[in-house]
Structures are given as C-alpha cells and as structure tokens.
Amino acid sequence: MSKIEFDNSRRYAVGIGCERAASVDEVHELVAAALAEAGVAAEELAVVASIDMRAEEPAILTVAERFSVPVLFFPAEALEAETPRIKNPSDIVFARVGCHGVAESAALAAIGPLGELLLPKTKSRRATVAIAQMPLQKQ
C-alpha cells in the first residue's frame, strides 16, 4: 500500500470485489456503469482498490490500467476495520475472505477516514463495485 494524494479534481476511489478469473470486460463495464450512475467522470478517479488476495487478478489490474490510476490492495483485517462505515455487510463474504465486504470496504480504506461512501456496492454476475469520495478541499 502507498499513500494516494487526493485533490478536488481526483477525489474518488473505486473498490472492486470479484471472483477469481472474472472477465476484464465484465469488471470494466461494471466500473464504468457505477461511475456513470454516481456522476463521476473517469478523470476524477484517483485510485482502484481491492483485497490483497486479488493482488494479481487481471481484471482489477487491467481496470486500473485502463483508467490510468494506481491500484491499492488491503489485507482483510484493514477491510474489516471499515465494517462500521459500509452499507452492505455480508456474513457470507466474511466467511470466505475474513471481512464483511470488499468493494465498499476497499473504497473507504483507500479514501481514508474523512471520506464517505458515494455509491454503495453494485453487482454484476462475478464482481462488485463501490465508490467512495473525499470531501472537497478548501482552496
């Protein structure tokens, strides 16, 4: 993990959860649809984030590359710490990966404690996406 610099032009984080070998196109289309639903332009995206057990997942890495943003991966413990801030905690996800949510938790972990969830988890067949935002900074 590294520190991402957020500013008023790039203040959004996309969290991605997906099954192993999820289609790059499926994940990219889900992210694009979520950004459109939230009214966030691709140029406003600062980072893509997920759980560390997906650190080599081609769909996540390719989506970050397509949006020209860095990708952060967090251990399950760090994502579990975000549970009080997520909208859709799941005992099923906890049983599988050790945290109550990946997409929402990863977006919030990437954005930091001042950020908030803009778009809760949305799903496709094999992936989930959520968007968090950093508050506007005074100039």
Side-chain angles (χ1 to χ4, degrees), residues 13-55:
V14 168
I16 300 174
C18 68
E19 295 178 12
R20 288 216 181 275
S23 155
V24 170
D25 289 338
E26 178 182 349
V27 176
H28 184 262
E29 289 169 14
L30 184 60
V31 170
L35 290 171
E37 182 178 340
V40 175
E43 299 77 29
E44 295 176 296
L45 185 60
V47 64
V48 165
S50 192
I51 192 166
D52 61 0
M53 65 178 51
R54 294 291 184 260

Side-chain angles (χ1 to χ4, degrees), residues 1 6 8 12 29 32 42-43 49 55 58 69-70 78 83 87 98 103-104 118 121 127 138:
M1 291 183 296
F6 294 95
N8 287 342
Y12 299 95
E29 289 169 14
E43 299 77 29
V69 296
T83 300
K87 305 272 190 225
E104 291 179 348
L118 174 64
K121 175 176 72 176
K138 294 182 181 181

Side-chain angles (χ1 to χ4, degrees), residues 51-53 74-83 94 97-101 105:
I51 192 166
D52 61 0
M53 65 178 51
F74 296 93
E77 300 80 30
L79 298 184
E80 181 60 14
E82 299 295 338
T83 300
F94 182 81
V97 300
C99 60
H100 281 88
S105 296

